[in-house]
Amino acid sequence: MRAAVINQQRAIFLMTVIVLFITVTANAASKNKKQPPPLELEKPVTMVPWVRYAEWPDINAKDYNTLNATNSPAYALPPKIEGSQMGDPKKGEALAFNSSRGGSCSACHVLGQSTPTMPGNVGPDLSTIGNWGRSDEWLFNYIYDSRSVNPMSVMPPWGAHKMLSIDEIKDVVAFLQSLKESSKFTDEREDPATRSIPLETRDNLDLFTNNGIYAWEEGKALLSLPGTNGKSCVSCHAKVEQSFKTWGARP
């Protein structure tokens, strides 16, 4: 009799373990099952009101390049600033190294000992520009729109394109005038004059190298695939070569 009770208890315990195992496994499977992301089909997907960069002094980009309008604002002379252009060098340093305003000055220049890592050298080393004898007005005009000094310059017109305000340019001028010591790099990989040039030998059209090529034909087919409203991309962009001519990277 006692053996029968023990066997019954063992059976109940075993069944309990099996039930718990099945329950835990089912819950885990349901948690791991990927759920489709919720899609907003009525409201716009872009942020409203639209803001280009939160820190830019001007957020209205109606006069500037878009994918359809590729012309920059016409050149205009920098504003005439009376008196000294000098501002706050500390504020100017922060602005010069701020990459959230369309790029940092250090992307093209070395600017003294406080230059961030991996500076560029598209432009000249400005570490001693404070000794060059440039006036505040000359520096202001060059930063505002370098075409006022060098018509062939590739430097962005920071003031003319409203990436920096007048007072902010004054701050950058003050920072540049404070730079009077040559930069010293402890690592040759940091110095743009000595670091090695990256060498790329891969073929971006090679299917084995660039897996994205596999999606090229699929993407082309998707352009003509109707959506839930019966329209496809080509319903509005029949000639994608023209509609999206500025989208692709090119030399």
Side-chain angles (χ1 to χ4, degrees):
M1 185 68 178
R2 183 177 180 184
V5 172
I6 293 175
N7 290 335
Q8 185 180 12
Q9 290 176 341
R10 287 178 178 175
I12 293 174
F13 174 76
L14 183 59
M15 289 298 297
T16 303
V17 171
I18 293 174
V19 171
L20 286 174
F21 175 77
I22 294 174
T23 303
V24 171
T25 303
N27 289 338
S30 63
K31 289 181 179 180
N32 292 331
K33 185 179 180 181
K34 291 184 179 180
Q35 300 294 328
L39 297 178
E40 175 57 66
L41 300 178
E42 297 180 359
K43 299 179 182 178
V45 295
T46 55
M47 180 173 61
V48 179
W50 180 79
V51 178
R52 186 180 184 88
Y53 291 103
E55 296 182 0
W56 278 27
D58 184 16
I59 63 173
N60 189 338
K62 65 181 180 60
D63 297 326
Y64 298 91
N65 292 11
T66 66
L67 294 172
N68 292 322
T70 57
N71 294 323
S72 297
Y75 170 72
L77 286 172
K80 184 67 176 177
I81 306 297
E82 300 296 334
S84 175
Q85 314 301 324
M86 296 292 278
D88 185 329
K90 278 297 181 184
K91 290 182 179 179
E93 180 182 25
L95 287 166
F97 300 145
N98 183 353
S99 60
S100 68
R101 292 284 191 95
S104 163
C105 296
S106 62
C108 298
H109 301 280
V110 178
L111 300 103
Q113 300 303 316
S114 59
T115 304
T117 59
M118 299 300 291
N121 63 347
V122 174
D125 187 331
L126 302 178
S127 299
T128 60
I129 192 172
N131 298 326
W132 295 4
R134 300 295 189 188
S135 68
D136 295 341
E137 182 179 11
W138 191 95
L139 290 174
F140 177 91
N141 290 344
Y142 208 103
I143 297 170
Y144 184 89
D145 193 333
S146 57
R147 293 172 295 180
S148 64
V149 180
N150 176 13
M152 301 301 294
S153 174
V154 296
M155 179 171 162
W158 296 94
H161 282 194
K162 301 180 181 179
M163 292 180 281
L164 295 175
S165 67
I166 299 297
D167 289 337
E168 286 173 333
I169 296 177
K170 290 183 180 181
D171 292 335
V172 176
V173 169
F175 169 60
L176 293 178
Q177 293 288 34
S178 72
L179 298 177
K180 298 183 179 181
E181 295 184 10
S182 299
S183 296
K184 295 181 178 63
F185 294 93
T186 57
D187 189 335
E188 65 178 11
R189 292 171 297 181
E190 287 290 330
D191 188 346
T194 59
R195 65 175 173 241
S196 59
I197 299 175
L199 181 62
E200 179 58 81
T201 59
R202 297 173 298 176
D203 182 2
N204 68 313
L205 297 180
D206 188 330
L207 292 174
F208 294 98
T209 301
N210 182 6
N211 293 333
I213 297 299
Y214 284 110
W216 185 83
E217 291 186 357
E218 183 180 356
K220 187 176 182 180
L222 287 174
L223 285 173
S224 303
L225 183 67
T228 55
N229 60 356
K231 293 186 176 182
S232 66
C233 296
V234 296
S235 298
C236 298
H237 305 281
K239 297 181 179 180
V240 294
E241 295 83 359
Q242 297 179 8
S243 301
F244 303 108
K245 65 179 181 180
T246 58
W247 281 44
R250 61 192 188 280

